[in-house]
Amino acid sequence: MKQEASIKTSLRILLLYVLVLVLGTVVCAAIYTVYSLCKNMIAGGGLHVFNLSYFLAGVNMFAPLVVVASGIIMIMYIIRYSIRNILPFGVFIIAYVAVWVFLLPLNYSVVANITKTNPPADADKTLSSDYFRTGTDGDVFYYSSIENENVADGICIDKTEGVTYTFSGVTIPRNEGFSDSLIHKSIGMPTLIDGSLSWVKMFFNISRQAWKSGFLAWLCFASIGLALASVAGLTFVSRWRLVNVLSSCIVTVGIVFLNILAYTKSFMDPAKAFLEGAMANVPIKNPLIVLMNVLIFVIFSLLGFIVRQKRRKEERLSNEDPYGKEFA
């Protein structure tokens, strides 16, 4: 009976994991699509709610982030339902690592080629007239007429000098990737979110570059999947579920940042050079990355196994002596 229940739990975890991956990818790609279309929108113009090229670009860009987030969601599910059998854990770890090793390269091979063949087409970026817009220095502009290439005639209110003057034939500057400064003012990313997304873009660029460098380089990068999968071992650390959830989230973010730093920061170069020299005969392009992730996997896996065995022993002793030593 226990084995049958364990198999059912494993199948449920596998199906739920696939569902989380699919839904997470669709949601992230849809948000990216809407935001990209908004960036190309102009005041007074229409808004398209869907664009297949932007959607596929969103799938391609956010796939690594979705995989990381899906691991955290599944670990929370395991914590929520107190799953302790080895088989469900093994199924989750195998499925999670397989996504890193095989599914993400498939995403870059198929989706990236489709996106390259059909790049997102920018909307018409000629601004509309009869709107007040604020310049980068705080001056207010009213464009009475705007020709192609955003060459405008109109009125400027100079707040610094306190004067108003007319102008003609002035080229309107672009505004941080947005077609219209009014749209940017309304939906521009806050500094905190924009800074967080810069790390996401960095992680995407690292993964994409690893894929372009060949399958062996990708395997070295995909070793992060081992490290992230071992975070499941933290589900045994505490009897308090909230502690397990927080520790799993913090460690996951830490592992991702550590891998980004290992690829980008020069202060790790001495360690990289030493390992590359010591392992010159081993066909590994990033031995520091692989060694670091494998070490993390071993540490958290052993920690989870040891704590699990300790808990099982305590539960067995408690079942044998339900009244405890107090009544002995």
Side-chain angles (χ1 to χ4, degrees), residues 126 146-151 171-172 174:
T126 301
I146 300 178
E147 304 297 333
N148 291 333
E149 304 299 330
N150 285 342
V151 177
T171 301
I172 304 171
R174 301 298 183 186

Side-chain angles (χ1 to χ4, degrees), residues 43-44 127-133 141-146 152-154 182:
L127 295 180
S128 53
S129 58
D130 300 327
Y131 283 91
F132 286 94
R133 293 178 173 88
F141 296 88
Y142 177 82
Y143 304 122
S144 57
S145 64
I146 300 178
D153 301 335
L182 287 176

Side-chain angles (χ1 to χ4, degrees), residues 277-309:
M279 304 176 65
N281 297 325
V282 180
I284 298 178
K285 294 187 177 181
N286 297 290
L288 175 63
I289 304 294
V290 177
L291 182 62
M292 179 181 67
N293 288 324
V294 170
L295 185 61
I296 292 172
F297 174 78
V298 172
I299 291 174
F300 287 124
S301 298
L302 285 177
L303 177 63
F305 179 78
I306 292 171
V307 175
R308 177 181 179 276
Q309 293 301 108

Side-chain angles (χ1 to χ4, degrees), residues 75-244:
I75 289 174
M76 289 182 180
Y77 177 84
I78 291 171
I79 294 172
R80 168 64 180 83
Y81 291 98
S82 301
I83 298 173
R84 294 292 181 263
N85 294 330
I86 291 296
L87 183 58
F89 271 90
V91 169
F92 165 68
I93 291 174
I94 291 173
Y96 189 72
V97 174
V99 168
W100 280 99
V101 175
F102 301 109
L103 190 59
L104 280 179
L106 184 64
N107 164 68
Y108 290 131
S109 300
V110 177
V111 179
N113 287 337
I114 296 175
T115 306
K116 186 177 180 179
T117 305
N118 301 285
D122 291 342
D124 185 8
K125 292 188 176 182
T126 301
L127 295 180
S128 53
S129 58
D130 300 327
Y131 283 91
F132 286 94
R133 293 178 173 88
T134 304
T136 56
D137 54 358
D139 295 342
V140 178
F141 296 88
Y142 177 82
Y143 304 122
S144 57
S145 64
I146 300 178
E147 304 297 333
N148 291 333
E149 304 299 330
N150 285 342
V151 177
D153 301 335
I155 301 172
C156 175
I157 303 173
D158 190 332
K159 290 186 175 181
T160 304
E161 302 293 335
V163 297
T164 301
Y165 59 89
T166 61
F167 60 85
S168 61
V170 174
T171 301
I172 304 171
R174 301 298 183 186
N175 188 55
E176 299 184 21
F178 283 78
S179 298
D180 195 330
S181 60
L182 287 176
I183 306 300
H184 177 254
K185 186 177 180 180
S186 301
I187 66 169
M189 289 289 183
T191 304
L192 180 61
I193 297 179
D194 191 53
S196 301
L197 287 177
S198 66
W199 284 90
V200 173
K201 292 177 182 178
M202 194 182 304
F203 189 59
F204 164 73
N205 291 333
I206 291 171
S207 63
R208 187 176 178 83
Q209 186 59 43
W211 169 71
K212 287 183 176 180
S213 300
F215 189 66
L216 184 59
W218 174 258
L219 285 180
C220 295
F221 169 78
S223 64
I224 188 177
L226 276 177
L228 292 172
S230 67
V231 176
L234 295 177
T235 59
F236 300 105
V237 169
S238 174
R239 297 184 185 276
W240 291 4
R241 293 175 181 176
L242 182 59
V243 173
N244 293 334

Side-chain angles (χ1 to χ4, degrees), residues 258-284:
L258 190 61
N259 275 263
I260 292 175
L261 293 176
Y263 274 99
T264 58
K265 293 300 180 181
S266 59
F267 67 84
M268 290 190 176
D269 288 346
K272 288 182 183 179
F274 173 77
L275 287 175
E276 288 174 358
M279 304 176 65
N281 297 325
V282 180
I284 298 178

Side-chain angles (χ1 to χ4, degrees), residues 26-39 47-59 62:
V26 170
V27 170
C28 288
I31 294 174
Y32 177 81
T33 301
V34 173
Y35 188 74
S36 298
L37 290 172
C38 287
K39 288 178 67 175
L47 173 64
H48 300 283
V49 296
F50 184 76
N51 182 288
L52 181 59
S53 297
Y54 278 130
F55 185 83
L56 292 175
V59 171
F62 286 97

